[in-house]
Amino acid sequence: MSTEYSKDQIAALQEKAKRHLWLHFTRMSSYADNDVPVIVRGEGNYVYDQHGKRYLDGLAGLFVSQIGHGRSEVAEAGARQATELAFFPLWSYAHPQAIDLAERLAAKAPGDLNRVFFTSSGSEAVESAWKLAKQYFKAIGQPSRYKVLSRTIAYHGTSLGALAITGLPGIKEPFEPLPAGGVRVPNTNFYRAPDFVAHDETEFGVWAADEIERAILREGEDSVAAVFLEPVQNSGGCFPPPPGYFQRVREICDRYGVLLVSDEVICAFGRLGYYFGSERYGYQPDIITFAKGVTSGYAPLGGMMVADHLMEPFSTGHATFLHGVTFAGTPVSCAVAMANLDVFEKEDLLGNVRANEAAFRATLEKLYDLPIVGNVRGDGYFYGIEMVKDKETRETFDDDESERLLRGFLSAALFDAGLICRADDRGDPVIQLSPPLTCGQDQFNEMEQVLRSVLTEAWTRI
Ligand SMILES: Cc1ncc(COP(=O)(O)O)c(C=O)c1O
């Protein structure tokens, strides 16, 4: 299949994009004198722009394309379903695709997370979990519980409720005041651990978990509804949990009757080599939120998986969870998710991640010989590389250097070199990698080579 557009087509696309399209979280002014990057096709682990140039999709789009691009069997499942029944709401009605998918997800989820409430995105999933927690506690006679704890720099979505849970001050400030009740606790960035626990990761984990208990007590134990945590925190550059962290958090939640919500919008569906990140780290959430990889992006879908006890107040009498969205769990999205999961099973993608993750880590760790590479961290197929000005002292870049390095050079240079990944400075400056689960050593090498040459050049520009 040709991916090349003619000169006229390219010029027309650029003109229309610049005039009419508004890209998300994007400085539109930067395209006044530059082309908007336009991706026209994907195949396997690679995507192609309108000139026919190939890129390794080192971010799975945006932590989404687990099975890679161009899978006709998944596309056809969506097309077949659109012909039979494209849309019907999950308001009062059900359809076989949502029923089958709910059953399949419940069978995979840890413990008794047997009830699936679909949404169309991750933000909606997170916001639904907060709303459920609030209505649940009112229903069981604990109406003062409404606060939610989450970690510094963590991203949990952008709708106002989800944004109140998000821990990134920079993207919240323009929208203040946000819904009341969002409270921050420390994240699990061991590389930047406070001195008194920096010598031992387990001790650091105990401290970070106990900070959740201290926050509950500070806020008033009867006022806290839930703690929202990702298995591996994305924002800030992939912070895996220290050993024992989640087990201790679970105990704390049980002690104070607080719900543990595992936000797995990124970490579910194979990103960490398991269907759910909570399974990898051996903890039992009360709610799991998911989106992205459930369909690998072939259709939009999100949702939350809910423990049986949270459903109880809603399963008798007049009780109704007063929440819903039109495009939640459409027949097409659910059919696509089923086909996506078929690919997972047929090709043993979880097995592929587990078999190759050590090689992925080892390949990225080769970059430690570069002076700019301070820390390589992550698990599964999910890695962050933190860049520093001084390896010994771990000194980071000031705002001006960060601006010049990330926005002025790295993002464009990595893209020009044919690698889609993410250079992010919402915490300390990091490059993030989250490739399709179908990748292997060839792609790991490609990532390492591009990063080596671009980071070497970056160092000369500081
Ligand atoms: C952990 C987490 N939660 C929630 C969201 C929001 O998902 P969405 O962009 O689908 O609304 C994201 C998005 O990246 C995420 O990473």
Side-chain angles (χ1 to χ4, degrees):
M1 197 197 301
S2 164
T3 58
E4 276 199 48
Y5 282 43
S6 72
K7 275 205 169 91
D8 288 349
Q9 283 173 313
I10 291 170
L13 274 177
Q14 284 299 324
E15 196 189 320
K16 287 188 279 187
K18 288 181 185 188
R19 175 71 187 91
H20 296 295
L21 190 61
W22 202 334
L23 302 180
H24 298 206
F25 279 114
T26 302
R27 263 186 213 173
M28 294 305 288
S29 65
S30 55
Y31 297 119
D33 302 318
N34 295 303
D35 277 359
V36 177
V38 178
I39 302 298
V40 300
R41 188 171 78 84
E43 192 179 324
N45 303 315
Y46 295 87
V47 293
Y48 297 81
D49 71 11
Q50 76 272 38
H51 305 286
K53 181 175 167 190
R54 188 176 96 149
Y55 301 82
L56 173 58
D57 186 1
L59 205 61
L62 193 59
F63 317 100
V64 167
S65 308
Q66 317 294 69
I67 61 172
H69 301 275
R71 297 280 198 156
S72 52
E73 68 268 49
V74 181
E76 279 156 17
R80 265 197 312 278
Q81 186 54 49
T83 311
E84 191 164 301
L85 179 69
F87 176 76
F88 221 74
L90 291 176
W91 301 48
S92 307
Y93 306 95
H95 48 73
Q97 290 67 39
I99 296 168
D100 287 344
L101 181 60
E103 183 216 24
R104 192 163 177 183
L105 293 178
K108 295 189 185 310
D112 68 342
L113 303 192
N114 288 317
R115 191 68 64 161
V116 185
F117 183 93
F118 287 112
T119 65
S120 51
S121 72
S123 298
E124 286 173 0
V126 166
E127 199 146 327
S128 301
W130 191 5
K131 288 182 79 173
L132 175 63
K134 286 172 103 168
Q135 198 182 339
Y136 166 79
F137 280 120
K138 286 202 164 83
I140 63 164
Q142 300 182 33
S144 59
R145 286 192 191 268
Y146 70 96
K147 294 180 187 169
V148 279
L149 272 47
S150 58
R151 296 183 290 201
T152 50
I153 324 179
Y155 182 88
H156 293 284
T158 48
S159 58
L160 289 174
L163 194 59
I165 301 175
T166 285
L168 289 155
I171 65 166
K172 295 164 73 128
E173 190 275 329
F175 311 104
E176 298 283 2
L178 290 165
V183 177
R184 293 296 84 70
V185 293
N187 60 43
T188 59
N189 183 358
F190 184 55
Y191 186 65
R192 301 268 174 211
D195 285 347
F196 59 93
V197 279
H199 57 281
D200 183 86
E201 196 174 358
T202 304
E203 270 187 48
F204 167 65
V206 169
W207 169 79
D210 286 352
E211 280 294 301
I212 292 177
E213 179 168 30
R214 284 187 274 275
I216 292 171
L217 294 172
R218 205 168 46 238
E219 293 296 322
E221 54 186 284
D222 295 340
S223 74
V224 180
V227 183
F228 281 69
L229 306 170
E230 291 166 271
V232 173
Q233 179 175 324
N234 166 45
S235 196
C238 290
F239 306 143
Y245 172 81
F246 274 113
Q247 288 66 31
R248 199 167 178 95
V249 171
R250 179 71 264 179
E251 283 166 22
I252 292 166
C253 287
D254 288 344
R255 195 171 310 140
Y256 298 102
V258 170
L259 303 180
L260 175 53
V261 181
S262 191
D263 182 358
E264 308 210 8
V265 166
I266 289 179
C267 291
F269 302 105
R271 180 58 46 212
L272 300 171
Y274 292 78
Y275 278 110
F276 295 99
S278 36
E279 202 187 338
R280 171 167 185 143
Y281 301 117
Y283 65 95
Q284 181 59 49
D286 298 295
I287 301 177
I288 288 178
T289 50
F290 64 89
K292 297 186 187 265
V294 65
T295 58
S296 287
Y298 286 78
L301 182 66
M304 59 172 170
M305 314 217 41
V306 176
D308 285 338
H309 70 278
L310 295 178
M311 179 67 194
E312 270 170 32
F314 299 95
S315 50
T316 53
H318 295 287
T320 306
F321 180 33
L322 293 170
H323 183 54
V325 286
T326 303
F327 282 135
T330 69
V332 169
S333 292
C334 292
V336 162
M338 291 293 272
N340 179 50
L341 294 176
D342 289 345
V343 174
F344 269 69
E345 285 170 16
K346 242 183 354 220
E347 299 182 13
D348 188 21
L349 292 184
L350 303 183
N352 192 51
V353 173
R354 290 186 208 177
N356 287 313
E357 67 172 307
F360 188 28
R361 178 190 290 274
T363 308
L364 294 177
E365 284 182 345
K366 287 188 194 168
L367 295 167
Y368 270 130
D369 64 355
L370 301 179
I372 197 172
V373 171
N375 193 213
V376 176
R377 56 184 176 243
D379 269 329
Y381 272 20
F382 190 30
Y383 273 86
I385 299 172
E386 181 167 336
M387 293 164 286
V388 288
K389 211 154 76 173
D390 186 323
K391 251 188 194 339
E392 286 302 307
T393 62
R394 303 188 179 181
E395 184 186 353
T396 191
F397 300 95
D398 63 31
D399 288 350
D400 185 49
E401 289 162 337
S402 230
E403 171 76 24
R404 273 192 292 123
L405 182 69
L406 264 75
R407 300 211 180 75
F409 173 70
L410 266 179
S411 296
L414 289 163
F415 186 70
D416 288 347
L419 176 62
I420 293 185
C421 59
R422 182 173 196 178
D424 191 1
D425 65 348
R426 293 179 298 181
D428 296 306
V430 289
I431 290 175
Q432 279 187 286
L433 296 161
S434 160
L437 313 183
T438 43
C439 283
Q441 190 60 50
D442 287 350
Q443 285 76 38
F444 306 156
N445 291 342
E446 203 175 328
M447 286 184 244
E448 194 268 338
Q449 280 150 23
V450 170
L451 287 167
R452 174 170 297 282
S453 89
V454 172
L455 288 175
T456 303
E457 165 79 20
W459 185 247
T460 68
R461 290 169 172 256
I462 292 164

